[in-house]
Amino acid sequence: MCGIAGIYHLQTAKPVDAARVRAMTDAIAHRGPDGADLWVAPGVGLGHRRLAIIDLAGGAQPMESSDGQAVITYNGEVYNYREVRVALQACGRRFRTNSDTEVIVEAWRQWGPDCLSRLNGMFAFAIHDRERGCLFLARDRLGVKPLHYAELSDGSVVFGSELKALLAHPLFRRAIDFSAIDDYLGLGYVPDDASIVAGVRKLPAGHYLMLRRGQGVPAPIAWWDVSFADRARGSVASLSDELAALMRSAVTDRMVSDVPLGAFLSGGVDSSSVVALMAEASPQAVKTCSIGFDHPDYDETRYAAQVAERFATDHRTRIVSSDDYGLIDRLVEAFDEPFADASALPTYRVSELAREQVTVALSGDGADEAFAGYRRYVFFRNEERVRSVLPAGLRTGLFGTLGRVYPKLDWAPQILRARSTFAELGRSSEEAYAGAVGVTAREARLALYTDRALRDLQGHRAEDRYIKAMRQAPARDPLDRAQYADLKIWLPGDILTKVDRASMAVSLEAREPLLDYRLIEFGARLPQAMRVRGATGKWLMKQAMRRYLPDDILYRRKMGFSTPISAWFRGPLAAEAQRIAQGSALIETGWFDVAALDRTVTEHRSGRIDHGRLLWQLLMLDRSLTRLFGIG
């Protein structure tokens, strides 16, 4: 696990200033505290910060291929590198180290871009190939590892693991991409391939970019996709056994490490499953860690302790304050772009705890997307049954009207909070799901914007990204299309960004075994009834794990990392909320209506309407704009 950065001159092979490459890698030193180096040749410079995990003595980067024709800088882990190495040796390739880095660069020399399909892992890398005359940038299938790039005024392309690496280049010019603000408010994060800094792009998951001198920057090329078009055949027992075997393989593959390794353990289904399989494979007690909260509504430590006792893990728990908002500035620095998933706070804390004992930690992320674990999938599937039997005109007229006139009862029991359900039933499947997965609805965003904002947006809508992904999905049914869109947008934009930035901020490598592409492809082939059955998501996965875990772990209500942000803005963060309405970076952009911001704060503080999530979004956006652009 590392940080990478580099410069490539597109037009001429003019010298690259090594000091600029070094400044870019120094900006992401937290990703690789164990070493730093760079490689410079006419027209290209590659930089690397190393967090040593495998082949501690021989894995330094940038690394040349055995024939001297290619050089790589690489962030990530390839878990099947030994098997790929054997295949390359059969082709006559020679090796000097025991690192997965050398396997990648030799695989590139042997197979070119086709090497990607042979790699099972999380990665983002750049390879300069003298013979082929190119710079090759690639990102793993699901987007576990990040890669940003931009073209500068001098005709060079700069790239790096994090946005701050690009910002360290002296020719970089900072300007706001306002459409990304709407994306952020709509989704809660700035998705791939967008950036809040104009001109910056994120290489999408499962894509590569081939840069050649004398040519412009081309569109990225997709090298992997997941299809929901086929269905697996077999009994529950046989498919359950197949799933358990795939999970076991994915976990053991990710236990390869030359440094101490452990796991996050929340006591939920996913992390508990990973720990169970680790305990089965390990001759020693697995090191596990959990974060607890001083408020019972947010604390899951009793469940984590139950799992830790069951598998005799070396378990550590740390209780933190549920009012842990003191981390805000640290998170703004770590994430660069605005990021509104408040679970980033406890994710940072559990990473911090893990790093005290280990350098690598396995997490349970990915199962909800792969096997339909979110409750929104259950709701969406139920709504689809209504849509399938009622004509579109009737639905739009009846439920659209009810969605507009039904009161917004945030305080009421779930069964009475039907406004959003009515509104979604009056829309198409794609529009409804885009609304369900969003954070701040378009109507609420428009109420905050000035006329200038509406002009700048030129009709841009955050929801359109989801709608397009669902309509173009290689899938037949609405639930399949919703999962596909989440795998392409929500997973890399929110979940994986959160884990990568929070863990790497403390120099911890997080590995996600449940995002092994073989599991993702298996989940996409499952009949819907084996993903969602009744009100139960991840149905087949829970069946497969019954041999390891008790029902009170498998079937308890999902909690996740929660934070009391609504209460914060009526208490310790009330002054911050007022500042947003009166003198913030938001107002200086000219995009936000002062009266609308003030009304939002007043309504929330009075308790009339819960605007907690929106205020959290606005606060994180305000802090990010100040840090990135010096306004406010």
Side-chain angles (χ1 to χ4, degrees):
M1 187 64 58
C2 306
I4 66 173
I7 301 171
Y8 184 74
H9 287 295
L10 280 172
Q11 302 308 317
T12 60
K14 60 183 180 181
V16 168
D17 185 349
R20 291 180 175 180
V21 180
R22 191 173 301 281
M24 293 171 70
T25 56
D26 286 349
I28 51 174
H30 54 280
R31 297 186 72 93
D34 297 333
D37 208 347
L38 54 87
W39 177 89
V40 175
V44 61
L46 304 179
H48 190 262
R49 294 291 314 206
R50 188 183 187 201
L51 179 62
I53 304 293
I54 293 175
D55 192 4
L56 306 185
Q61 301 181 46
M63 181 183 289
E64 289 193 56
S65 60
S66 59
D67 61 9
Q69 291 299 313
V71 181
I72 184 173
T73 183
Y74 152 59
N75 168 32
E77 303 288 348
V78 172
Y79 305 113
N80 66 332
Y81 75 97
R82 292 190 179 96
E83 292 89 339
V84 179
R85 178 186 173 118
V86 169
L88 287 165
Q89 287 173 324
C91 296
R93 293 284 164 182
R94 295 172 297 166
F95 292 86
R96 297 153 294 161
T97 75
N98 294 312
S99 71
D100 57 338
T101 305
E102 190 176 17
V103 169
I104 297 174
V105 71
E106 295 299 333
W108 160 263
R109 289 295 295 154
Q110 182 66 34
W111 298 305
D114 290 342
C115 71
L116 295 169
S117 62
R118 298 173 181 261
L119 307 178
N120 182 4
M122 55 178 186
F123 52 81
F125 61 78
I127 296 177
H128 179 253
D129 193 305
R130 296 185 184 93
E131 186 177 70
R132 290 184 170 100
C134 67
L135 182 73
F136 181 72
L137 304 174
R139 193 173 178 200
D140 65 65
R141 292 170 178 84
L142 280 308
V144 180
K145 293 292 103 186
L147 189 57
H148 302 66
Y149 66 97
E151 187 173 2
L152 301 185
S153 58
D154 67 345
S156 65
V157 171
V158 292
F159 65 88
S161 296
E162 296 181 18
L163 178 59
K164 55 177 63 70
L166 279 60
L167 299 178
H169 193 291
L171 294 183
F172 197 92
R173 296 293 177 262
R174 306 186 189 199
I176 300 172
D177 185 332
F178 285 101
S179 64
I181 292 182
D182 191 66
D183 287 336
Y184 163 73
L185 290 175
L187 300 173
Y189 51 90
V190 180
D192 296 353
D193 64 340
S195 171
I196 198 166
V197 179
V200 175
R201 290 290 174 262
K202 300 166 191 146
L203 185 62
H207 283 66
Y208 69 78
L209 187 66
M210 185 82 77
L211 299 176
R212 296 186 183 276
R213 193 151 286 125
Q215 301 178 12
V217 179
I221 296 174
W223 65 269
W224 179 83
D225 202 1
V226 59
S227 175
F228 287 76
D230 298 323
R231 284 289 178 256
R233 297 179 182 274
S235 65
V236 170
S238 65
L239 290 173
S240 174
D241 288 343
E242 184 178 354
L243 175 54
L246 285 171
M247 292 176 65
R248 193 176 297 113
S249 174
V251 168
T252 54
D253 285 351
R254 284 157 181 78
M255 293 176 68
V256 176
S257 175
D258 294 334
V259 294
L261 175 143
F264 301 142
L265 178 58
S266 69
V269 176
D270 306 334
S271 65
S272 299
S273 297
V274 169
V275 168
L277 294 169
M278 290 178 72
E280 181 181 64
S282 177
Q284 300 173 329
V286 176
K287 293 181 181 297
T288 57
C289 60
S290 300
I291 287 292
F293 296 95
D294 59 3
H295 192 295
D297 289 349
Y298 307 104
D299 188 62
E300 294 184 282
T301 53
R302 63 189 182 278
Y303 301 110
Q306 179 183 344
V307 174
E309 182 178 6
R310 184 181 185 91
F311 297 104
T313 72
D314 178 4
H315 189 60
R316 299 174 72 221
T317 298
R318 178 168 295 163
I319 302 299
V320 299
S321 171
S322 55
D323 289 338
D324 198 18
Y325 50 82
L327 266 181
I328 291 175
D329 288 334
R330 181 72 186 94
L331 293 180
V332 169
E333 178 186 1
F335 283 78
D336 290 324
E337 295 185 296
F339 188 79
D341 187 338
S343 66
L345 282 82
T347 301
Y348 180 91
R349 289 299 188 202
V350 76
S351 298
E352 195 176 46
L353 175 61
R355 190 63 178 92
E356 294 176 3
Q357 285 196 314
V358 302
T359 310
V360 178
L362 273 61
S363 81
D365 295 298
D368 287 317
E369 291 80 10
F371 302 106
Y374 294 120
R375 279 180 287 170
R376 64 176 179 254
Y377 293 135
V378 176
F379 299 149
F380 180 65
R381 195 175 183 220
N382 292 339
E383 290 166 5
E384 277 303 299
R385 290 172 177 158
V386 176
R387 290 191 191 94
S388 67
V389 298
L390 292 179
L394 177 60
R395 285 192 296 102
T396 302
L398 175 61
F399 292 116
T401 301
L402 286 172
R404 288 190 296 272
V405 302
Y406 197 89
K408 191 174 188 293
L409 305 177
D410 292 323
W411 50 267
Q414 184 71 41
I415 193 171
L416 296 179
R417 285 183 278 169
R419 181 175 183 173
S420 61
T421 300
F422 288 145
E424 287 164 12
L425 285 171
R427 301 169 181 161
S428 68
S429 298
E430 296 84 2
E431 289 274 3
Y433 192 71
V437 79
V439 178
T440 301
R442 179 163 174 78
E443 295 77 13
R445 303 196 306 272
L446 292 178
L448 294 174
Y449 293 158
T450 61
D451 290 341
R452 175 194 164 182
L454 298 179
R455 289 194 302 270
D456 288 345
L457 280 173
Q458 297 181 330
H460 176 90
R461 297 193 314 160
E463 292 80 4
D464 288 341
R465 189 179 298 267
Y466 255 89
I467 293 166
K468 180 180 179 181
M470 291 180 70
R471 288 176 177 168
Q472 295 180 349
R476 296 172 295 185
D477 298 314
L479 177 62
D480 298 340
R481 296 199 299 271
Q483 278 187 256
Y484 179 86
D486 279 341
L487 285 166
K488 295 296 181 177
I489 303 171
W490 158 269
L491 181 67
D494 186 294
I495 303 301
L496 296 178
T497 295
K498 175 182 67 179
V499 176
D500 176 81
R501 302 304 191 280
S503 61
M504 291 309 297
V506 296
S507 304
L508 176 77
E509 174 175 298
R511 297 178 178 177
E512 289 86 5
L514 302 183
L515 281 176
D516 189 300
Y517 78 95
R518 298 168 298 178
L519 281 169
I520 299 297
E521 292 176 348
F522 178 83
R525 293 171 50 239
L526 286 178
Q528 287 193 14
M530 291 195 185
R531 284 177 269 152
V532 177
R533 184 166 297 193
T536 301
K538 291 186 291 200
W539 186 84
L540 187 71
M541 177 182 165
K542 292 173 181 177
Q543 292 293 307
M545 288 295 105
R546 292 189 76 174
R547 66 199 75 182
Y548 295 100
L549 299 170
D551 284 358
D552 59 343
I553 293 293
L554 289 172
Y555 297 102
R556 72 178 179 88
R557 182 181 176 88
K558 184 180 180 66
M559 288 180 65
F561 279 150
S562 300
T563 49
I565 54 177
S566 292
W568 290 351
F569 286 110
R570 295 190 183 102
L573 292 183
E576 287 289 342
Q578 199 60 50
R579 190 185 64 80
I580 288 172
Q582 293 179 347
S584 65
L586 303 181
I587 296 171
E588 286 195 35
T589 66
W591 249 52
F592 292 90
D593 181 81
V594 176
L597 291 175
D598 186 66
R599 183 169 59 252
T600 300
V601 172
T602 301
E603 289 175 345
H604 183 81
R605 292 184 67 179
S606 70
R608 284 193 294 135
I609 301 177
D610 186 351
H611 290 304
R613 292 181 71 186
L614 174 57
L615 290 172
W616 181 257
Q617 281 190 287
L618 294 173
L619 174 61
M620 298 304 285
L621 176 59
D622 177 64
R623 295 287 180 91
S624 294
L625 291 173
T626 297
R627 185 175 184 278
L628 286 172
F629 305 104
I631 58 177

